[in-house]
Amino acid sequence: MSGAPGDPRAQDPHRLRALLRDTHTVLIDFDGPLCDLFGGASTGHIADEVKARAEQAWPGTGLDEDVRDCADSHGILRRLAAMADRHAPALDGPLDWADEIVERHEYAAVRSAVRLARETAGASDLVEALHARGKPLAIVSNNAEGPVREYLQRVGLLRRFEAICGRDPHDPRLMKPHPDSIRRALRMLGDPKPEQVLLIGDQLTDLTAAVAAGVRFLGFTPYGDRAREMLGQGADFVVATHAPVVEAVTESPPGGQSFARSVQTESNQDCILATNTDPWDSGPPESDPPESDDPDSGDSPPRT
């Protein structure tokens, strides 16, 4: 396949199969790879509720400009924590109340996501294929554990996961790109070798966390710019849909052994593109949505 270095269209499908063959354990981000939690809607109203409560909790202080400007439910948690650090010890104390507000809205979003069938296309097939090949699975998410667990229970996937690691409710500084949730998941899974662990995520913050934890990374994004960024920052592979991953896993025998079947060039192209059109040519042209989990940006619906 043609393409410049860093072009997702230039990836060799055999690398995806080899990556999955050599993977013992799979970690999956929640919002994005498995479901569209907020359906593309802004979470600014959640951030506004947190800010109003912060003004009550910290009377007379006034919110810092970056906190006032934040319109993202996860960004506001980070920025409040940073503000507390800047004004310590005056604003000393836990921020559990802020986490509880966000968690409440995440529970509501989960019920809407289930009712409106906002599962990411191919997500169930991905989970079932990985489980069928005997690969231990865990969730690592910036969402709260409770809502993630409820969603998976409602859609019948909870039994497939051996660990659910959401954000630390007491310290938003530990959300991805910090590797805390990955490290917790690895401990719960018996400390597999990091080089045999694969994280599937749709954000650059997922990639940053994976690199910090020493695990492999499979990017999942329909956006060409983001796919190129992921490859440029060390992603092992990037796909636009789950279809090529499901195909590669299904064609590999249980136990992670290599398979000998020859794959034709046309089939290879289908493995990557999943359709006869370029998946990275669809959607917003060359202007990806803001990175909601970027510590320096919190202005779009969360993808965690």
Side-chain angles (χ1 to χ4, degrees), residues 85-219:
D85 290 342
R86 287 193 295 267
H87 294 273
L91 301 184
D92 199 15
L95 295 173
D96 295 23
W97 52 267
D99 188 88
E100 290 168 3
I101 292 172
V102 176
E103 182 180 25
R104 171 166 48 82
H105 284 278
E106 289 175 346
Y107 270 115
V110 159
R111 288 155 196 155
S112 294
V114 172
R115 185 177 69 254
L116 299 175
R118 292 204 294 254
E119 177 179 312
T120 300
S124 291
D125 291 340
L126 173 72
V127 171
E128 295 295 350
L130 292 168
H131 175 75
R133 288 301 181 267
K135 298 183 186 295
L137 303 176
I139 295 290
V140 290
S141 175
N142 281 353
N143 294 110
E145 177 185 335
V148 174
R149 189 176 292 277
E150 178 173 317
Y151 176 86
L152 295 173
Q153 177 66 48
R154 284 172 174 251
V155 300
L157 293 176
L158 181 60
R159 69 191 186 282
R160 300 308 191 199
F161 291 91
E162 299 185 20
I164 310 294
C165 294
R167 66 175 178 267
D168 186 327
H170 308 298
D171 191 352
R173 303 167 190 83
L174 298 180
M175 290 192 293
K176 293 175 291 185
H178 194 286
D180 173 72
S181 60
I182 296 176
R183 290 170 177 166
R184 281 188 283 127
L186 296 185
R187 288 195 296 270
M188 295 176 71
L189 293 170
D191 289 315
K193 295 178 180 179
E195 62 271 20
Q196 294 181 335
V197 177
L198 178 68
L199 170 61
I200 301 175
D202 68 331
Q203 296 289 318
L204 293 170
T205 45
D206 296 320
L207 173 55
T208 301
V211 171
V215 305
R216 313 294 293 275
F217 184 77
L218 173 61

Side-chain angles (χ1 to χ4, degrees), residues 21-97:
R21 180 194 65 215
D22 296 338
T23 293
H24 173 270
T25 300
V26 179
L27 312 179
I28 308 177
D29 179 34
F30 173 62
D31 187 12
L34 294 186
C35 83
D36 184 2
L37 184 57
F38 287 93
S42 169
T43 58
H45 64 291
I46 304 175
D48 289 343
E49 183 177 341
V50 172
K51 286 182 274 188
R53 175 62 190 280
E55 290 175 334
Q56 296 175 359
W58 300 334
T61 301
L63 300 181
D64 289 355
E65 182 177 2
D66 66 323
V67 175
R68 291 197 309 269
D69 292 344
C70 184
D72 173 73
S73 60
H74 291 164
I76 194 64
L77 295 177
R78 283 198 188 88
R79 296 185 187 195
L80 276 180
M83 178 177 169
D85 290 342
R86 287 193 295 267
H87 294 273
L91 301 184
D92 199 15
L95 295 173
D96 295 23
W97 52 267

